[in-house]
Amino acid sequence: MDRNTFEKRLRDEGFSQTVIVEREANGRLDLHTHPFEALALILAGEIRIDVDGGSRLYRVGDVFHLVAEQPHAESYGPEGVRYLVGRR
């Protein structure tokens, strides 16, 4: 998905707060939650998200979604990751 289409989707779905997030190469966040729902577009690098016993790798152009308070772990690729995230 391209950035313009994604930003329109965020607006249409009521994600009023948007943030660019950057994480370091080969970094990791162990199991945690967020108090907000997140919908994110990968802009650079890659991120692996482990949730509900499964794991999925997201690369440039991919979109991931996490509901509020959903336990998950994150790990970042050799170039780190940068993504645009809408929160609500």
Side-chain angles (χ1 to χ4, degrees), residues 4 6 8 14-16 18-19 29 34-35 37 44-45 48 53 55 62 66 68 71 73 76-77 79 88:
N4 288 335
F6 181 71
K8 181 181 183 318
F15 288 89
S16 58
T18 59
V19 179
L29 283 175
H34 302 287
E37 180 180 3
R48 180 172 299 281
S55 180
D62 291 339
L66 293 168
Y76 318 116
E79 298 176 8
R88 66 175 177 188

Side-chain angles (χ1 to χ4, degrees), residues 37-82:
E37 180 180 3
L39 185 65
L41 171 68
I42 308 303
L43 301 174
E46 60 187 38
I47 183 173
R48 180 172 299 281
I49 299 178
D50 303 326
V51 63
D52 294 331
S55 180
R56 179 154 176 214
L57 181 65
Y58 298 89
R59 294 186 171 112
V60 175
D62 291 339
V63 173
F64 71 83
H65 176 251
L66 293 168
V67 298
E69 304 299 339
Q70 185 171 31
H72 66 285
E74 305 171 14
S75 57
Y76 318 116
E79 298 176 8
V81 68
R82 184 170 46 109

Side-chain angles (χ1 to χ4, degrees), residues 6-31:
F6 181 71
E7 288 175 334
K8 181 181 183 318
R9 179 178 173 187
L10 290 176
R11 287 189 302 275
D12 290 350
E13 294 184 20
F15 288 89
S16 58
Q17 180 187 15
T18 59
V19 179
I20 298 283
V21 175
E22 294 188 49
R23 301 288 187 210
E24 72 282 355
N26 301 310
R28 178 166 178 81
L29 283 175
D30 290 328
L31 194 64

